[in-house]
Amino acid sequence: QIKKGAKTFLVAESPEILSQMADRRAQMLKESLPELKSIYNIMGAKSKVRFYEGQEGYLAVYGNILKEKPKELLVIASYENFKKHIDEQYEETWTAKRIKQGVFLRWLDFKTPSVQARVNEGKRGLREIRFLPKEFAFSATMFIYNEKVIMVSGKQKEFLAVVIENAEFSQMQKQLFNLLWQQKL
């Protein structure tokens, strides 16, 4: 800015100035990173709740599952409602990666043709599916792994997930899942 009397004039700077400013900010962030990491680690033990929406949210939720490489992924689903949110090609690629990582899937769902087709794939899908009674139908889907519980709406027009990161909640949901799994439904 240049002032001439009562008027202020704006004068363009060299584009290199923007690059220098970005470099300075990147350097400041790099220098602050150890402190930020220590704050994050202190806070890391606390519970977290995150919301994910749309295609971007779908990819983030699925990507995080593979990134965390759980030994087992528990799913209570209404696949008929859930599948309207998925990209089938991405789903197939994701499933192949899950299998390659050795993540076993235990899946509770309702008996529908699309779920039955998955059952017929056998053990090569690294999954076991059991059926829920149709009189207890619901539209949401839940994923449980490590210390996370992910609830996905089956009624929303766009993908909507709530991710709860809490050891106590996750343990409770795992116990409820296992209780259902053991029933002769």
Side-chain angles (χ1 to χ4, degrees), residues 57-69 90 94 145:
Y58 162 71
L59 295 173
V61 166
Y62 262 52
N64 286 338
I65 292 171
L66 290 181
K67 193 185 306 180
E68 294 182 37
K69 300 178 184 173
Y90 178 81
W94 184 90
Y145 70 97

Side-chain angles (χ1 to χ4, degrees), residues 29-48:
L29 177 62
K30 193 174 186 179
E31 290 169 3
S32 302
L33 217 47
E35 186 177 347
L36 292 172
K37 281 184 177 179
S38 71
I39 292 169
Y40 176 78
N41 289 335
I42 289 169
M43 303 293 282
K46 291 189 174 184
S47 299
K48 296 174 187 159

Side-chain angles (χ1 to χ4, degrees), residues 1-183:
Q1 294 180 355
I2 299 174
K3 283 201 173 243
K4 287 189 179 179
K7 293 183 180 181
T8 302
F9 294 93
L10 298 176
V11 178
E13 287 281 351
S14 167
E16 285 85 27
I17 299 282
L18 288 174
S19 177
Q20 291 171 1
M21 288 172 57
D23 290 344
R24 270 193 303 253
R25 287 186 178 163
Q27 184 60 36
M28 287 171 52
L29 177 62
K30 193 174 186 179
E31 290 169 3
S32 302
L33 217 47
E35 186 177 347
L36 292 172
K37 281 184 177 179
S38 71
I39 292 169
Y40 176 78
N41 289 335
I42 289 169
M43 303 293 282
K46 291 189 174 184
S47 299
K48 296 174 187 159
V49 178
R50 294 186 179 101
F51 293 87
Y52 293 86
E53 295 179 304
Q55 180 73 7
E56 203 173 286
Y58 162 71
L59 295 173
V61 166
Y62 262 52
N64 286 338
I65 292 171
L66 290 181
K67 193 185 306 180
E68 294 182 37
K69 300 178 184 173
K71 290 180 181 170
E72 183 175 58
L73 178 61
L74 309 177
V75 180
I76 303 173
S78 173
Y79 189 66
E80 289 303 313
N81 288 295
F82 181 73
K83 71 180 182 177
K84 69 182 177 187
H85 296 300
I86 66 171
D87 173 329
E88 291 202 25
Q89 185 176 353
Y90 178 81
E91 184 85 8
E92 292 303 320
T93 302
W94 184 90
T95 298
K97 289 178 183 176
R98 176 185 62 76
I99 292 167
K100 187 175 181 181
Q101 287 182 0
V103 178
F104 189 79
L105 176 68
R106 283 197 295 152
W107 179 358
L108 291 166
D109 206 328
F110 302 100
K111 197 170 201 169
T112 63
S114 54
V115 176
Q116 187 63 48
R118 300 288 183 173
V119 171
N120 294 338
E121 291 174 0
K123 295 195 181 218
R124 69 186 162 116
L126 204 57
R127 70 169 71 91
E128 186 178 347
I129 301 172
R130 294 189 183 169
F131 295 110
L132 297 167
K134 63 182 175 191
E135 57 269 15
F136 295 104
F138 47 81
S139 59
T141 292
M142 183 177 353
F143 297 92
I144 309 159
Y145 70 97
N146 296 349
E147 293 185 350
K148 289 189 177 172
V149 177
I150 302 170
M151 294 178 285
V152 181
S153 173
K155 290 189 175 183
Q156 294 291 317
K157 197 172 193 176
E158 294 287 320
F159 179 86
L160 171 66
V162 178
V163 178
I164 302 170
E165 195 170 336
N166 177 285
E168 179 185 15
F169 292 167
S170 175
Q171 182 60 34
M172 178 186 167
Q173 293 304 319
K174 285 175 186 174
Q175 289 173 319
L176 290 171
F177 178 93
N178 286 323
L179 182 67
L180 285 170
W181 188 259
Q182 292 170 8
Q183 300 303 307

